[in-house]
C-alpha cells in the first residue's frame, strides 16, 4: 500500500454516512498511537502536518515515519498539509511527497481566496494531489493566527468558490473552533447545522471538512489538573453533534487538541506516580497508549469509519 489521496476516501465516506479522522502528527509516538488504533479498527486515516509540525520535526522525518506506518499497517493513509498559508508551502509539500494539501485562504478576501486556491489546485492536480480549501473563519488559535470570533461560512458563496477553484473538499465555519476553549464557561455548545444543511444542498455529493472538532473530554482536563496541571475549564464540541455531521456531508473531521490533552494527561500521571523516572520510553509508552485509546474512541463515537479501510 502506498499513500492515497483523499478522493476515493471521501467518495466512500459521503455515500456511507461516515467521516475520516484527520489527526495532527508531530512525532513517532503520536503517529504510532493513531495508526495502531486505526489498524485495530480497520479504519481509513488522514495524518495531517501543520507548518508548526514541519518546523518541529522536519518534513523528511514526518514523511518517513508515515511511510513506515503504512508499511507496518497496510492501511490506506493520506498525508495532508494542514492550514497551508501560501502557495510555497503547498508546493513544498506536494514536491515532498504529500498526497493532499490544504490551502487556507480564509483570511483573504473572497476573490483573493479564489485566486490563491485555484493556483494551488492547478499545481496539485498536475501532480496527482488533492486540495482542501476554506471559506469562513473559525475562532481560536492556530499557528500564529488568533481569531477572536467566528465568521460563519456564507452558503451563497460556496458554489462559485468550488467551481472557480476546482477544490476537492471544503472546510466551513459553523461554530467549531481551534484549541481547547471553544465556548465560554457556562455557554451551551451549539453548531450552525442550518449552514451545513444549506451548503450540502448547494453542493450535492461534495465533501465538507470540519476543523476545530475536538471534544475536550472533561476527565482528561481533570487528570491534567490532578497531577500538577493548571488548565482552566475547557468546553469542546459534543461528540454526538460531530457524529450527526459525519452522517451527512462532513467527510473529514480534524482532531488535534484531544490528542494533546490525552498525551499530556498520561505523561503527567506517569511522572507523578513515578517521580524518579527519567527514561523517556517509560513515560512515552503510556502517552502513545493514550493516543491510541483516544483515536479508537473517535472512530467509534464520532467518525463511524470502523471496518471501512480495506478494500478502500
Ligand atoms: O489547526 C491547528 C492544529 O491544531 C495544529 O496546531 O499549528 O500548533 O501544530 P499547530
Ligand atoms: P482542534 O483544536 O479542535 O483539535 O482542531 C484541530 C484542527 O482543526 C487542525 O486543523
Ligand atoms: Zn484547523
Amino acid at each position: 500500500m502506498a499513500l492515497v489521496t483523499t478522493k476515493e476516501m471521501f467518495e466512500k465516506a459521503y455515500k456511507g454516512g461516515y467521516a475520516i479522522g484527520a489527526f495532527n502528527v508531530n512525532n513517532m509516538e503520536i503517529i504510532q498511537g493513531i495508526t495502531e488504533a486505526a489498524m485495530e479498527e480497520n479504519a481509513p486515516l488522514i495524518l495531517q502536518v501543520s507548518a508548526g509540525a514541519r518546523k518541529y520535526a522536519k518534513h523528511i522525518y514526518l514523511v518517513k515515519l508515515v511511510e513506515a506506518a503504512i508499511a507496518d499497517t497496510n492501511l490506506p493513509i493520506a498525508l495532508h498539509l494542514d492550514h497551508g498559508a501560501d502557495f510555497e508551502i503547498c508546493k513544498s509539500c506536494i514536491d515532498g511527497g504529500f498526497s493532499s494539501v490544504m490551502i487556507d485562504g480564509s483570511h483573504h478576501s473572497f476573490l483573493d481566496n479564489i485566486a490563491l486556491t485555484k493556483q494551488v489546485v492547478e499545481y496539485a492536480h498536475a501532480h496527482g494531489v488533492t486540495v482542501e480549501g476554506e471559506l469562513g473563519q473559525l475562532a481560536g488559535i492556530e499557528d500564529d493566527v488568533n481569531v477572536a470570533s467566528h465568521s460563519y461560512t456564507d452558503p451563497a458563496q460556496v458554489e462559485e468558490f468550488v467551481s472557480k477553484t476546482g477544490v476537492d473538499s471544503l472546510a466551513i465555519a459553523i461554530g467549531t473552533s481551534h484549541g481547547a476553549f471553544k465556548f465560554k464557561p457556562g455557554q451551551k455548545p451549539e453548531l450552525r447545522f442550518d449552514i451545513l444543511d444549506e451548503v450540502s444542498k448547494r453542493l450535492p455529493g461534495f465533501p465538507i471538512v470540519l476543523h476545530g472538532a475536538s471534544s475536550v473530554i472533561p476527565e482528561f482536563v481533570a487528570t491534567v489538573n490532578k497531577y500538577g496541571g493548571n488548565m482552566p475549564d475547557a468546553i469542546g464540541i459534543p461528540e454526538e453533534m460531530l457524529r450527526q455531521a459525519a452522517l451527512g456531508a462532513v467527510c473529514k473531521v480534524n482532531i488535534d487538541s484531544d490528542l494533546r490533552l490525552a498525551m499530556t494527561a498520561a505523561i503527567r500521571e506517569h511522572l507523578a506516580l513515578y517521580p524518579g523516572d527519567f527514561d523517556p520510553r517509560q513515560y512515552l509508552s503510556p502517552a502513545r497508549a493514550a493516543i491510541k485509546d483516544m483515536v479508537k474512541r473517535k472512530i467509534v463515537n464520532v467518525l463511524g469509519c470502523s471496518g471501512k479501510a480495506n478494500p478502500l
Side-chain angles (χ1 to χ4, degrees), residues 142-155:
E142 131 241 325
D143 275 334
D144 301 330
V145 184
N146 188 348
V147 182
S149 58
H150 305 293
S151 302
Y152 294 109
T153 303
D154 178 0

Side-chain angles (χ1 to χ4, degrees), residues 208-285:
I208 299 302
V209 177
L210 283 189
H211 283 248
S214 281
S215 296
V216 198
I217 300 135
E219 71 189 70
F220 291 87
V221 178
T223 305
V224 167
N225 288 344
K226 179 176 173 189
Y227 294 110
N230 186 20
M231 277 185 75
D233 281 347
I235 308 174
I237 314 294
E239 289 182 328
E240 57 279 9
M241 283 188 194
L242 297 163
R243 182 74 202 102
Q244 189 188 333
L247 286 170
V250 170
C251 294
K252 174 172 178 275
V253 174
N254 282 16
I255 296 166
D256 186 7
S257 296
D258 277 339
L259 300 187
R260 295 180 182 199
L261 195 51
M263 190 167 196
T264 303
I267 293 172
R268 277 197 180 276
E269 181 172 6
H270 178 89
L271 290 177
L273 297 178
Y274 305 97
D277 204 348
F278 64 101
D279 179 347
R281 293 170 299 184
Q282 296 303 321
Y283 54 84
L284 290 176
S285 294

Side-chain angles (χ1 to χ4, degrees), residues 106-247:
S106 63
H107 311 295
H108 298 293
S109 71
F110 183 59
L111 290 181
D112 287 350
N113 189 359
I114 288 180
L116 176 61
T117 305
K118 186 170 186 285
Q119 186 192 10
V120 171
V121 168
E122 280 167 4
Y123 189 79
H125 285 183
H127 293 78
V129 168
T130 43
V131 180
E132 173 186 327
E134 178 163 340
L135 264 183
Q137 265 184 274
L138 277 65
I141 302 170
E142 131 241 325
D143 275 334
D144 301 330
V145 184
N146 188 348
V147 182
S149 58
H150 305 293
S151 302
Y152 294 109
T153 303
D154 178 0
Q157 293 185 328
V158 298
E159 291 134 299
E160 184 182 349
F161 185 81
V162 168
S163 65
K164 287 198 170 153
T165 59
V167 274
D168 303 283
S169 61
L170 181 67
I172 61 170
I174 60 165
T176 62
S177 55
H178 291 109
F181 309 100
K182 299 184 192 297
F183 300 94
K184 296 193 180 75
Q187 195 184 353
K188 199 166 149 255
E190 262 167 347
L191 295 182
R192 293 285 305 271
F193 277 97
D194 57 320
I195 296 178
L196 176 58
D197 288 347
E198 186 57 29
V199 168
S200 320
K201 268 192 215 126
R202 287 170 181 260
L203 298 173
F206 191 81
I208 299 302
V209 177
L210 283 189
H211 283 248
S214 281
S215 296
V216 198
I217 300 135
E219 71 189 70
F220 291 87
V221 178
T223 305
V224 167
N225 288 344
K226 179 176 173 189
Y227 294 110
N230 186 20
M231 277 185 75
D233 281 347
I235 308 174
I237 314 294
E239 289 182 328
E240 57 279 9
M241 283 188 194
L242 297 163
R243 182 74 202 102
Q244 189 188 333
L247 286 170

